[in-house]
Amino acid sequence: MAEYLWWKHGVIYQIYPRSFQDSNGDGIGDLKGVIDRLDYLNDGTEQSLGIDAIWFSPTYPSPMADFGYDVSDYEDVHSDFGDLATMDRLIEEAHKRNIRVILDFVPNHTSSLHPWFLESRTSRDSPKRDWYVWRDAKPEGSPPNNWIAAFGGPAWEWDQNTHQYYLHSFLVEQPDLNWRNPEVVARMHNVLRFWMRRGVDGFRIDVMDRVVKDPELRDNPPQTNPRYREMAQTALQIHQYDVNWPDIIDIVRGIRSVVDEFPERMTVGEVFGRPKQIVEYYGTDGHDGLHLAFNFPFVRIRDKRWTAEHVRNVVDAFEQALTPGAWPNHVFGNHDVDRLVSRVNNDGRGQERARLAALLLLTVRGTPFIYYGEELGMENAVIPEEKLQDPARIFAPGRDPERTPMPWTRKGGFTTGEPWLPYGDLTQNVADQAGDPRSLLTLYRRLLWFRRASDALRVGDYTPVDVAADGIFAYTRTTGDDRLLMVLNFTTDIVDVVLPEDLRVTATVIGTHGEPAATQKMTLAGNEGRVLRLA
Ligand code: ISL
Ligand code: CA
């Protein structure tokens, strides 16, 4: 086996801690609950899912204005989730199972109730004043510039007490930290060290692309492209001065050097932009920047773009943009976007497409990310208006539909109490799927365990293959004699594929629709995908 590096060759599973498993009946998922479910994720046998690492959305003390993305203490655990001792135990129990632990690091903003901000807002002379971004009003009293917050409204909030505005790229309750102040940098670096000393293996870095902005705070130009007109308010301007500002890379380098103080740790950053912009965050050949920067097009993919051509373009564009030492990654869902099945379901065949997506995600080159429940084909839940909780309602109905409790059984099994959000469809549950050889969960397990043993899939080269059939995406993954071919039909039609002579198939390894004998000419059903072994 080629040398194994967990964050490159393993599979990362995202847990939204409120929704995975409740252990005390208060209806909110917690760390003890996760410990109880670790064997589901990986118990060392093919009965378990077989993931290699968990990324936890924020577990820190927080007023929960943005469900944990408003942190009031970076070095503790929210009482809803447990305490530091439980986190230590979770890390230990995960490591026993060879599962790495990735925490969510939220550098762009704190909670407005974080002691640093409470101090900062006491007076203009506060020693912490410059830890945040405070500015005078314009002469006529309006905010310093035209920036708008990601969740709507101006990005500036007036402080009655000290007569200045503070910057908040998200909610009013999430004031932006000032990473141009070296004290902030040093303090936040120590947060990383705090967790790495406790055994944390890596960090998903929230909103990496906004961590510093234009020092002159210039107005963003208006968005004139009519394509964006219907979108959220934040799309009404081009984020020229507040997103992907060039000297963010210096902040990234600083973070990398701290993470490199500890062996085998990693970072994955949340960044939005074109592949060329994303790849900047990896630094020089992936050595002094982020280990991974999310390759996001698949989290936005919807029916219209569910084509072999678009999917291949996404994969190839990222591959081509990457510098030699930088490593790709793929992700179909997270806590901010509609569930995949619900995005590609206009003809009711979203569940079939989820099978094809699983095959793609786990065979294409790069680190796969799985959002909890994706392995079950979880769909967006329909939540009654009065039960909606997400503050980001400018994207109606907000992000609750993709954050509902993990369906462990037909009755739920997430809590003995009232779940904080209602369950979605309980027919797609772990217990039933675990025993069903044709379930999506079974397909995920088979792909994951096959991948673990396959050098071709973990480290092999990726080469797209042109086949003379419409709607097919085909590619090889090869290293030495370990040679695989993937053939995926993105249409709902039956398609005949004749493989090129130089690609001699010897066996069907795993298929979304079963494993018929391998032949040079094959007929794929709609939404069918196969992993084939090559001579
Ligand atoms: O504005 C955007 C794109 O330029 C948004 O997509 C934004 O960057 C994204 O929503 C940021 O998400 C992250 O930070 C938020 C939090 O609510 C999300 O859950 C988190 O993933 C604020 O911390
Ligand atoms: Ca609980």
Side-chain angles (χ1 to χ4, degrees), residues 66 69 109 151 204 206-207 210 270 272 335-336 399:
D66 188 18
Y69 284 96
H109 44 266
F151 298 155
R204 177 268 187 182
D206 189 59
V207 191
R210 292 178 188 241
E270 186 197 29
F272 293 91
H335 61 294
D336 291 333
R399 299 166 293 179

Side-chain angles (χ1 to χ4, degrees), residues 446 505-512 514-519 522 528-533:
R446 293 181 61 208
V505 293
T506 57
T508 309
V509 182
I510 299 182
T512 55
E515 289 84 30
T519 46
M522 48 189 200
E528 180 171 3
R530 292 183 199 168
V531 179
L532 301 145
R533 188 163 294 288

Side-chain angles (χ1 to χ4, degrees), residues 17-18 21-33 79-82 414-415:
R18 291 183 83 78
Q21 180 64 56
D22 175 26
S23 71
N24 62 352
D26 66 358
I28 300 173
D30 47 55
L31 301 184
K32 164 89 170 50
S79 55
D80 282 351
F81 299 135
F414 159 74
T415 179

